[in-house]
Amino acid sequence: MTKQKKALSLALSAVLLSTVLTTGCSTFGGQESQVEETDRNILVETAYPEVGDIALTAEYIGKLEPAESVMVMPKTSGEVLKTYAKVGDTVKKGDLLFELDASDLMPAVNLAKANLELTKLSAASSETQLDQAVLQARSSVIQAKSAYDNARFTYNDTYGSDYDGDKSDYNYRKLKAARDAAASSYDLAQQLLELTEGESLEENKALIAQQLVLAEANYQVQTQQLGFTKVYAPIDGVVEAKNADEHQMSGGTSVAYYTISNKGSMLVNFAVPSSVVLGLSIDDPVAVTINGEERKGTIIEVSTAADQQTGLFAVKARIDEDGSGLLTGVTVKIAVDTDRAEAAILLPVSCVYYEDNKPFVYVDESGAAVRVDVTTGINDDNRIEILSGISKNDRVITTWHPNLMDGAKIMVADSNSAESSAANSEGDEA
């Protein structure tokens, strides 16, 4: 045989002796196994299901806002005399922010004060007059009673109380007329006293008191307006906006001159669809990504009414860490667990096969591959929840082979099956 023929023969022999290798699905550790067919058995790897927690996460876009933010507006009109804080300044509650010109309000304050003093004097004088009128009425009653008693005594002493004398008798007519006139005067004095001491007195005193209250209220209002010319910070925080300049005219409460935010606690507002909102609850954790940095948060509010325009439900979460360095209105990314399962039976996604959209797996039973239909739950990129069909003690085939089917003979090649079995046994004993 020539050298060329020998070379060709060796090449053909190498081709005929070459083997075909296949790659199976990855296990939990992420390692790939090379599967071969040894004799008539399929070489496979197996693993016990993991028991653990799994969550389905969705991401949304939201905006940051302070938990406490106040727009400060003047409560009276006037010219801005001076401002004491600028944007970015940190202020404390009670710090003076700006001051309005009070000179235009002073005439009204002085007038109200003068009117109050005059009303006080008038009230005191009116009450004195009312008291004097009562004393005068009481004195008149006493005098009228005395006059009536004297006239009646004189008449009775002369003619007797039951005497119906001769009307032609001049002295009789005179004494009787004097007695009757004194009785009328006494009755009238009593009526005047009742009017002076009764409802009329109370009404007059109430009217005087009301006039005094009105005068005091007017003075307080004018004094309060004067106090409104100095505007103070209502909370601790940072000045985020300022719309007041010196010598600017204030139109009253229509414009916010300062916006102060307490950024010790920051909130995130975002919106979710109806399919997600039912799975959210107060105190659920969220992950908030701000400029590439992830921070932990907690849901504090979940709306039960959809927005009429978007159809979405508003959700509010609080950043758990101090938010002093965060910017108001910044767009952030929020990751929310929309569904979760705890202590669930988990398998690698690649171990679950589908036929007519029905999931199944292969398990090792006495050296044979047995197909088992399963019910699946939620899944992430790597793992899937198994709701029924297998238990944590079943050895699931984790590698793929073209000849893998129900009833196929298998040979377990994975080195971790024993360790997995031991771990599951320890879990059962615990």
Side-chain angles (χ1 to χ4, degrees):
M1 182 180 294
T2 65
K3 293 183 179 180
Q4 291 181 345
K5 289 183 178 181
K6 288 183 178 180
L8 180 59
S9 177
L10 290 173
L12 290 174
S13 299
V15 172
L16 292 173
L17 292 174
S18 63
T19 57
V20 179
L21 303 179
T22 58
T23 303
C25 64
S26 61
T27 62
F28 284 112
Q31 297 179 347
E32 294 187 350
S33 171
Q34 180 173 300
V35 182
E36 300 178 352
E37 186 175 1
T38 303
D39 295 331
R40 300 182 64 183
N41 292 343
I42 299 172
L43 191 62
V44 298
E45 291 183 1
T46 62
Y48 289 97
E50 175 188 353
V51 177
D53 301 339
I54 186 172
L56 188 61
T57 303
E59 293 184 347
Y60 300 94
I61 299 299
K63 285 194 175 182
L64 286 177
E65 69 173 25
E68 186 179 24
S69 184
V70 180
M71 292 188 294
V72 182
M73 295 174 282
K75 295 181 179 180
T76 188
S77 58
E79 180 184 356
V80 179
L81 286 183
K82 190 173 183 180
T83 61
Y84 297 91
K86 61 182 182 297
V87 173
D89 285 353
T90 298
V91 295
K92 294 290 185 180
K93 181 179 179 180
D95 286 352
L96 183 61
L97 297 177
F98 63 95
E99 188 174 358
L100 302 177
D101 186 4
S103 60
D104 292 339
L105 299 176
M106 288 307 301
V109 174
N110 293 333
L111 180 60
K113 184 178 181 180
N115 180 61
L116 175 59
E117 296 300 328
L118 181 62
T119 302
K120 287 180 178 179
L121 293 175
S122 176
S125 175
S126 297
E127 288 185 351
T128 300
Q129 291 176 5
L130 290 174
D131 292 340
Q132 289 177 349
V134 171
L135 293 175
Q136 181 64 39
R138 290 174 179 173
S139 177
S140 296
V141 169
I142 293 172
Q143 293 176 5
K145 185 177 185 303
S146 176
Y148 170 64
D149 289 342
N150 290 333
R152 185 181 57 178
F153 176 79
T154 302
Y155 176 83
N156 292 339
D157 186 57
T158 304
Y159 295 102
S161 60
D162 297 330
Y163 176 72
D164 187 11
D166 185 1
K167 295 182 180 180
S168 62
D169 185 349
Y170 173 76
N171 188 53
Y172 164 75
R173 293 198 308 273
K174 183 177 72 173
L175 292 178
K176 184 177 182 300
R179 184 196 67 180
D180 293 343
S184 297
S185 296
Y186 178 48
D187 183 61
L188 179 61
Q190 287 181 313
Q191 293 180 16
L192 290 175
L193 178 60
E194 289 179 0
L195 290 174
T196 305
E197 287 185 329
E199 294 181 359
S200 178
L201 177 63
E202 297 300 325
E203 290 176 355
N204 288 331
K205 286 189 174 183
L207 180 60
I208 293 171
Q210 184 178 12
Q211 292 174 344
L212 185 59
V213 168
L214 291 175
E216 289 177 341
N218 182 49
Y219 177 64
Q220 289 178 359
V221 168
Q222 299 303 326
T223 303
Q224 188 179 47
Q225 291 294 315
L226 186 64
F228 288 158
T229 59
K230 291 184 177 181
V231 182
Y232 302 89
I235 61 171
D236 295 347
V238 177
V239 177
E240 294 208 277
K242 175 189 175 187
N243 296 306
D245 297 311
E246 293 183 3
H247 307 300
Q248 172 183 330
M249 290 301 298
S250 164
T253 60
S254 59
V255 179
Y257 275 21
Y258 278 83
T259 299
I260 301 175
S261 299
N262 183 350
K263 292 191 171 184
S265 178
M266 294 292 286
L267 306 179
V268 181
N269 290 314
F270 60 103
V272 300
S274 58
S275 59
V276 173
V277 72
L278 294 177
L280 300 182
S281 302
I282 304 299
D283 295 331
D284 280 354
V286 298
V288 183
T289 302
I290 307 170
N291 296 327
E293 179 184 354
E294 184 175 300
R295 299 197 182 201
K296 295 180 179 180
T298 304
I299 291 178
I300 62 172
E301 186 178 309
V302 180
S303 175
T304 57
D307 183 272
Q308 293 184 354
Q309 294 182 344
T310 65
L312 300 177
F313 293 79
V315 182
K316 186 175 292 186
R318 180 184 61 247
I319 304 295
D320 293 340
E321 305 170 28
D322 181 75
S324 300
L326 301 179
L327 301 177
T328 300
V330 170
T331 299
V332 298
K333 183 171 65 176
I334 306 99
V336 183
D337 290 346
T338 58
D339 199 357
R340 62 187 63 84
E342 298 178 352
I345 294 178
L346 306 174
L347 286 177
V349 172
S350 58
C351 294
V352 180
Y353 304 94
Y354 295 85
E355 184 176 23
D356 295 331
N357 293 323
K358 295 181 179 179
F360 65 92
V361 299
Y362 289 108
V363 298
D364 175 13
E365 288 190 6
S366 302
V370 177
R371 170 175 166 165
V372 178
D373 293 334
V374 294
T375 303
T376 58
I378 62 176
N379 67 277
D380 55 23
D381 292 339
N382 300 313
R383 303 176 303 168
I384 186 168
E385 178 190 13
I386 306 298
L387 298 176
S388 65
I390 63 171
S391 70
K392 63 180 180 179
N393 297 318
D394 288 322
R395 291 166 59 97
V396 179
I397 297 175
T398 60
T399 53
W400 178 84
H401 189 277
N403 295 328
L404 183 62
M405 63 184 66
D406 189 31
K409 293 183 179 181
I410 60 173
M411 177 179 294
V412 178
D414 58 304
S415 60
N416 295 325
S417 59
E419 297 178 3
S420 300
S421 177
N424 278 272
S425 299
E426 290 176 2
D428 292 340
E429 292 175 1

